[in-house]
Amino acid sequence: MKIFGITGNKNTGKTHLIERVIAEIISRGLSVSTVKHAHHDTDIDSPGRDSYRHRTAGAKQVALSTKNRLAIMTEIYNSIEISLQDIINAMDPVDIVLIEGYKNSGHPKIETYRSISKQPLLAMTNNTIKAVGSDIPLNDIKLQVFDLNNTVEITNFILKKVGLDRHRY
């Protein structure tokens, strides 16, 4: 499976971009999955739900299944986070896995940047970032800069970088 990341500082449009790129990739006849990294402890179930009760009772894994969806939650009782590669290895095969976050992992990425951000560009110190999607021109960097809203050009760039640009749409 090919992998490519979308990263950036908080509130720069990562999720909005990845949603649009997913739709564009699917419209081209390719399959896509995603991995989203969160820096905080988050639950996908909530107190009172049966799955929550199973998990808090001590189950190592809880599978929640409906006719349209399957979620498998795994409790990690030690403080070692599962590696991105192990997560990808556990996923069903697709043409491309888009990774949101994981700024410091070694896979290629595009950075999202907004003029309202007071943070410096990650691309200035992170060589895994191959381009930037921005809401303003960025003339002081050597990477390709895309209009953050130009989903087609950004998708073309991603697919070319991972070798899926020759796929027949």
Side-chain angles (χ1 to χ4, degrees), residues 120-169:
L121 275 168
L122 300 172
M124 302 306 275
T125 58
N126 184 332
N127 65 2
T128 65
I129 295 173
K130 305 304 180 190
V132 177
S134 176
D135 64 347
I136 59 170
L138 300 172
N139 300 320
D140 297 337
I141 66 169
K142 296 181 183 196
L143 297 175
Q144 188 163 358
V145 178
F146 295 98
D147 179 325
L148 187 55
N149 295 312
N150 194 330
T151 307
V152 171
E153 280 190 15
I154 291 171
T155 303
N156 289 344
F157 177 84
I158 291 170
L159 294 179
K160 184 173 183 177
K161 281 291 184 189
V162 299
L164 290 173
D165 57 323
R166 292 174 203 83
H167 187 276
R168 295 181 186 265
Y169 316 127

Side-chain angles (χ1 to χ4, degrees), residues 25-40:
I25 289 172
I26 291 169
S27 78
R28 298 178 188 202
L30 296 166
S31 58
V32 61
S33 291
T34 65
V35 175
K36 164 73 172 125
H37 189 251
H39 291 285
H40 46 81

Side-chain angles (χ1 to χ4, degrees), residues 80-92:
I80 300 171
E81 187 171 1
I82 295 174
S83 75
L84 176 58
Q85 191 58 56
D86 285 344
I87 294 167
I88 292 168
N89 291 344
M91 298 177 81
D92 291 340

